[in-house]
Amino acid sequence: MSTARRRRVPRRLVGTALAALLATTGALTATGQPASAAQNFVRPVQTTWTDNAQPTRSFPAEDGTLPVGTWQDAAGDKHTSRAYFTFDLAPYQGQRIISARTVTGERSVANCDKPRELQLWRTEAPAAAPTWKDAPRAVEKLADLTVSGPACPARYLSTAITDVVTRAIAAKQDKLTLMLRIGEHEDGLQWSRRVDTLAVSLEHNRAPNVPTQLAAGGVACRDNLFIGTTRPQLQAVVSDPDVTETGGGDQLKATFAWWPADRPGERTEFEFSYPLSNGSRFQYTVPDGVMTDGGTYAFSARATDQYGDASAWSPECRFTVDTRVPARPVVTSTDYPAAPEQPNSGGPGIPGTFTFSPNGSDDVVSYEYWSWTGSAGRVSAGAGGTATLTYTPKSAGYQRLEVESIDRTGNHSPTTIYEFWVRNTAPLVTDANPSGAIGEPRELTLAPGMDNVVEYTWRLNDGDPATVPAGADGTATVTVTPRRGGANTVHVTSRTSDDLPSGTAEYYFYLASTPTISSPDFMREDGSGALAGTTGTFTFAPGMPGVTEYVWSVNGGEQHTVAAKEDGTATVTYIPTEAGFQWIEVFSRTAEGDESETASGYFIVFSHAPEVSSTDYPMYQEAGGPGVTGQFTFRPAGEGVTGYVYDFGDGPRNVAAAADGSATISWTPQSYPADTRGWVRLKVREKIGDIVSDETEYAVVIGRLAPTVTSDDYPSSGEAGGPGVAGTFTLTAHVPGSTEFVYRFGTEEKTVPVGPDGTATITLTPTEAGDNYLYLSSRTDSGITSGEGVYWFPVANPT
């Protein structure tokens, strides 16, 4: 019994903004083919007007306008005209016409006081361009074109002609001709006007395309299709010919129908309740219990747009359900026989043939395999369901192939694991100088690991390969000279007279080459170390012969090169600028360019940064201010301090240490550091002779010492005065020795002298009610400047 779910989409209506879009018919776009089911504006393929004073002539539109009614020419002669517009309906045959409206407008009117008598008529299709004498017969009056409102000329005149266009399309008429004329007073001069070319605003719709790209169970539909599930997912792509210039189009729904291939009467349909965009793929999963193994079924699909127009049903897609899993395949090989322990077959690089058999399954079409070393692939089955794989092992020892059969449906069998061993055919390498050092030659004897070896190919580390022939006994001798310290590897392969390759032998040897590092200053056995700023030395000793230079760096920084002395050692000088955990790295190099491994050494540099204190300017606290002198005391971290280098950010200065190693300085800030919000960072280093310690940073916050303001006329506590009402303000300086105030009320900066009592009085006249701000600072004759303060006061609104 058929089942279906249907929900209609509301019909799309013509937008109410049409009038605004068509404020002038000059904005209409001519379209040779319909663009979409949205609004389209169609111009006539033929536009003419006639003149009773020239009855045998037909006239084209001038600048897109035409005369209608009776008018006078420049000589005063009278003319009566009608306008004809023929539209091509061929592109819209077979389509649904949703709405159609004529659109025009008046360019000029003879007399706006006369009522409009502009009429729209349908005429017969003319055989040629209409003339007054040979005009097409008027068939029916369609409308009197009116407009709401007093506009004259009326730039927008429209009327619905949906029924007219629908009937013409139903009658398969390729052309539609419309006429504009003046009604009862056609011969009256005061009723005439010039109109824009008539256009038709057309909303039409074509049925969706027949769905394509049908698939069942994830497989594209084809002849003899088998799928491996009784709950296949049915798929189809829907599309619609109505596409807008921007790529949009109708929203579409799909309906799927399916049935047993031999019982079409048991057809089931399912309509999706939701629409998707043009070109979307619909997917539907058949419920449980509908399809069975071995059954053959068919399905089809159709599309429906939001107007209810539906495509034809797609060609049916037939498929057979096959859920039987094929048997586990049989794997055999004479080149690499199955054996969990049989290390005597083939060898790395020697291909072998493996045969896959279906083990009784009659529908196996291919096999998938995975090797223990990572190779994988698929091979097609031939007659009888067998397949042959040529596989080349990459290494000796235990190997395995995992193989699955795949039937025509895509069902996979259980996995067969085929185990075998690959013979080790790598050559044997014997070193005649196993204790040789870097740069010393080594004679290596290469012996075969398989029969009939005729040549060997070898390379040292990443060097270029070289080939040598094997002697009568199958061996060969080569000489290698290692040029780098640390791990070295010789890679060797052989080849037989039958052109069979061997596995790769890798002979490893290690060359000790790392230099040693020592230092009496930085790497002491008792764990002590030099102070930051102290000059110290490192000595490098070779770890291989022939060393001519060393390359060294500290803390991963810039590399330095130093030449070795005759005994192969070198000594370098280092001055640490910071305390803490540090490391040095060094490698050596011979004249031939041989480089050793890198040695690393770790050491601690001890801090002797001084202690800084001040009661006038406590650390991290706001204190003092511009012009306020404070004292700072420096105390040593250890003995022997002879002086200090200190910097308030304006350049380093020196001070000698007292007998106890301390020093005291005085500092007077000259201005408030507004860019750091008052923060000043004092940096101090202590000196022991020429040795300069690491740094101590002492941060303080300088007080603003900005002037304060009082005013009885405009207090900060509440609204007072008003715009245009003057008030006095008393300014009080807090920087000692201040001689003038600098203030700004608005945009102009002004100054006023500081009185003997440290104050000054100014008069200000606010211009606006609400929040007002007075910005001010003070300064001395020597240039000491306070921080800037702000005085806020509210001005009353007189209303």
Side-chain angles (χ1 to χ4, degrees):
M1 183 175 182
S2 296
T3 62
R5 292 187 289 176
R6 298 182 180 274
R7 179 171 64 86
R8 298 302 300 272
V9 177
R11 172 178 172 178
R12 181 165 53 194
L13 300 179
V14 178
T16 57
L18 181 61
L21 291 173
L22 300 179
T24 169
T25 55
L28 301 181
T29 302
T31 58
Q33 288 292 333
S36 72
Q39 202 78 27
N40 295 291
F41 307 110
V42 185
R43 280 191 175 275
V45 294
Q46 184 181 74
T47 301
T48 59
W49 56 277
T50 62
D51 184 356
N52 69 344
Q54 302 179 74
T56 61
R57 291 187 59 188
S58 179
F59 303 90
E62 300 174 357
D63 299 326
T65 66
L66 306 90
V68 180
T70 299
W71 49 281
Q72 284 182 319
D73 60 20
D77 296 329
K78 294 178 63 176
H79 303 256
T80 300
S81 298
R82 296 174 181 175
Y84 295 87
F85 310 91
T86 298
F87 297 88
D88 183 11
L89 298 183
Y92 311 99
Q93 295 298 325
Q95 298 185 37
R96 176 201 294 265
I97 303 302
I98 299 170
S99 69
R101 297 187 68 85
T102 60
V103 181
T104 186
E106 297 172 337
R107 285 296 184 93
S108 63
V109 175
N111 188 341
C112 286
D113 293 331
K114 296 298 182 181
R116 182 180 291 108
E117 290 187 2
L118 190 61
Q119 297 178 351
L120 178 67
W121 288 73
R122 179 174 70 87
T123 72
E124 291 180 342
T131 65
W132 187 271
K133 181 178 180 180
D134 190 16
R137 184 178 68 89
V139 177
E140 61 177 325
K141 178 183 174 182
L142 302 181
D144 291 307
L145 296 185
T146 61
V147 65
S148 60
C152 183
R155 297 306 302 276
Y156 174 70
L157 298 171
S158 177
T159 189
I161 59 168
T162 306
D163 181 62
V164 174
V165 177
T166 300
R167 284 188 280 114
I169 295 295
K172 301 188 181 305
Q173 296 177 9
D174 288 341
K175 297 290 189 293
L176 174 66
T177 299
L178 303 176
M179 174 183 68
L180 285 176
R181 57 163 293 176
I182 299 299
E184 180 181 353
H185 299 91
E186 186 176 29
D187 58 350
L189 285 171
Q190 299 187 65
W191 275 265
S192 69
R193 57 205 67 227
R194 289 189 73 87
V195 297
D196 291 314
T197 299
L198 188 76
V200 174
S201 173
L202 184 65
E203 189 178 11
H204 57 93
N205 187 60
R206 287 179 285 182
N209 299 318
V210 175
T212 59
Q213 301 181 40
L214 272 64
V219 183
C221 291
R222 62 173 186 264
D223 294 338
N224 299 318
L225 175 61
F226 290 83
I227 61 175
T229 175
T230 58
R231 299 186 67 244
Q233 186 184 74
L234 309 181
Q235 300 180 10
V237 173
V238 298
S239 62
D240 192 275
D242 297 324
V243 180
T244 65
E245 289 81 355
T246 58
D250 292 344
Q251 292 285 300
L252 302 171
K253 293 193 296 183
T255 302
F256 285 175
W258 68 93
W259 61 93
D262 59 349
R263 301 188 302 278
E266 298 180 12
R267 178 186 181 98
T268 299
E269 291 187 7
F270 175 84
E271 182 184 58
F272 288 81
S273 60
Y274 54 85
L276 296 177
S277 59
N278 188 13
S280 295
R281 179 181 294 274
F282 280 86
Q283 301 179 138
Y284 172 75
T285 301
V286 175
D288 282 328
V290 175
M291 297 181 180
T292 59
D293 178 52
T296 299
Y297 302 88
F299 92 94
S300 181
R302 72 174 180 183
T304 305
D305 63 20
Q306 67 255 49
Y307 299 98
D309 291 332
S311 71
W313 286 96
S314 69
E316 69 178 39
C317 171
R318 289 201 172 201
F319 57 89
T320 299
V321 175
D322 178 7
T323 59
R324 293 176 299 161
V325 174
R328 193 189 309 268
V330 175
V331 182
T332 58
S333 175
T334 56
D335 298 320
Y336 290 100
E341 297 180 7
Q342 189 175 344
N344 58 357
S345 300
I350 300 177
T353 299
F354 296 79
T355 299
F356 306 151
S357 302
N359 197 18
S361 298
D362 59 3
D363 59 353
V364 172
V365 296
S366 62
Y367 297 87
E368 280 190 350
Y369 68 91
W370 303 264
S371 76
W372 184 73
T373 56
S375 298
R378 176 178 291 198
V379 291
S380 298
T386 62
T388 299
L389 169 69
T390 299
Y391 171 69
T392 303
K394 298 178 181 178
S395 59
Y398 175 79
Q399 301 273 312
R400 60 191 277 176
L401 283 177
E402 299 182 14
V403 185
E404 293 180 1
S405 300
I406 304 173
D407 66 14
R408 61 193 175 187
T409 304
N411 296 321
H412 285 240
S413 72
T415 302
T416 293
I417 297 177
Y418 184 82
E419 299 176 294
F420 59 99
W421 281 77
V422 177
R423 182 177 52 175
N424 183 6
T425 59
L428 303 177
V429 181
T430 303
D431 188 351
N433 185 18
S435 60
I438 186 171
E440 295 182 357
R442 291 168 177 253
E443 186 178 86
L444 304 180
T445 299
L446 313 180
M450 56 193 305
D451 296 333
N452 304 318
V453 168
V454 296
E455 68 178 20
Y456 296 90
T457 299
W458 66 276
R459 62 182 171 86
L460 173 62
N461 298 320
D462 298 324
D464 295 329
T467 300
V468 295
D473 61 351
T475 67
T477 300
V478 298
T479 299
V480 299
T481 304
R483 294 292 183 183
R484 76 181 188 193
N488 286 259
T489 306
V490 177
H491 308 267
V492 186
T493 60
S494 64
R495 185 168 295 277
T496 70
S497 58
D498 297 328
D499 202 33
L500 294 178
S502 74
T504 300
E506 294 182 336
Y507 173 65
Y508 301 94
F509 57 94
Y510 182 86
L511 299 177
S513 62
T514 308
T516 57
I517 307 172
S518 61
S519 173
D521 305 306
F522 299 111
M523 306 173 75
R524 301 171 184 169
E525 293 183 359
D526 61 1
S528 63
L531 298 175
T534 302
T535 300
T537 62
F538 291 96
T539 298
F540 309 138
M544 63 183 189
V547 170
T548 58
E549 64 182 13
Y550 295 88
V551 180
W552 65 283
S553 65
V554 177
N555 301 330
E558 180 183 359
Q559 288 188 331
H560 308 277
T561 301
V562 59
K565 295 183 291 188
E566 289 186 3
D567 63 354
T569 66
T571 299
V572 297
T573 299
Y574 173 63
I575 304 175
T577 59
E578 295 182 357
F581 183 82
Q582 301 188 35
W583 74 95
I584 183 172
E585 294 180 329
V586 61
F587 65 87
S588 59
R589 186 183 289 137
T590 68
E592 291 79 14
D594 302 333
E595 293 184 352
S596 73
E597 293 182 285
T598 298
S600 298
Y602 301 91
F603 57 97
I604 297 177
V605 176
F606 289 87
S607 171
H608 61 112
E611 176 187 336
V612 181
S613 64
S614 174
T615 56
D616 301 317
Y617 285 96
M619 191 171 183
Y620 300 136
Q621 297 181 33
E622 183 174 347
V628 178
T629 301
Q631 290 189 332
F632 295 81
T633 299
F634 310 149
R635 292 184 174 83
E639 297 180 355
V641 171
T642 58
Y644 298 88
V645 180
Y646 65 96
D647 188 352
F648 282 96
D650 53 357
R653 296 181 177 87
N654 290 277
V655 61
D660 62 353
S662 67
T664 299
I665 64 166
S666 296
W667 176 64
T668 304
Q670 296 300 296
S671 62
Y672 176 79
D675 56 337
T676 60
R677 297 186 178 182
W679 284 92
V680 173
R681 301 184 184 277
L682 168 62
K683 298 178 180 180
V684 186
R685 299 175 186 266
E686 65 185 30
K687 298 170 63 177
I688 304 177
D690 294 332
I691 299 173
V692 179
S693 78
D694 46 330
E695 176 183 284
T696 293
E697 182 177 280
Y698 185 88
V700 299
V701 184
I702 305 301
R704 289 178 183 270
L705 295 187
T708 54
V709 181
T710 59
S711 175
D712 293 334
D713 298 323
Y714 285 103
S716 292
S717 58
E719 291 185 347
V725 178
T728 59
F729 298 79
T730 298
L731 317 182
T732 302
H734 298 288
V735 172
S738 293
T739 57
E740 69 176 354
F741 295 101
V742 181
Y743 68 94
R744 176 167 42 88
F745 183 63
T747 58
E748 183 180 0
E749 185 174 275
K750 298 181 179 180
T751 62
V752 62
V754 178
D757 60 350
T759 69
T761 300
I762 61 174
T763 300
L764 302 176
T765 304
T767 60
E768 296 182 358
D771 294 340
N772 279 254
Y773 299 90
L774 170 62
Y775 299 91
L776 70 164
S777 61
S778 67
R779 60 191 173 201
T780 69
D781 286 338
S782 62
I784 297 175
T785 305
S786 76
E788 185 177 65
V790 59
Y791 178 73
W792 168 82
F793 58 96
V795 175
N797 191 329
T799 60

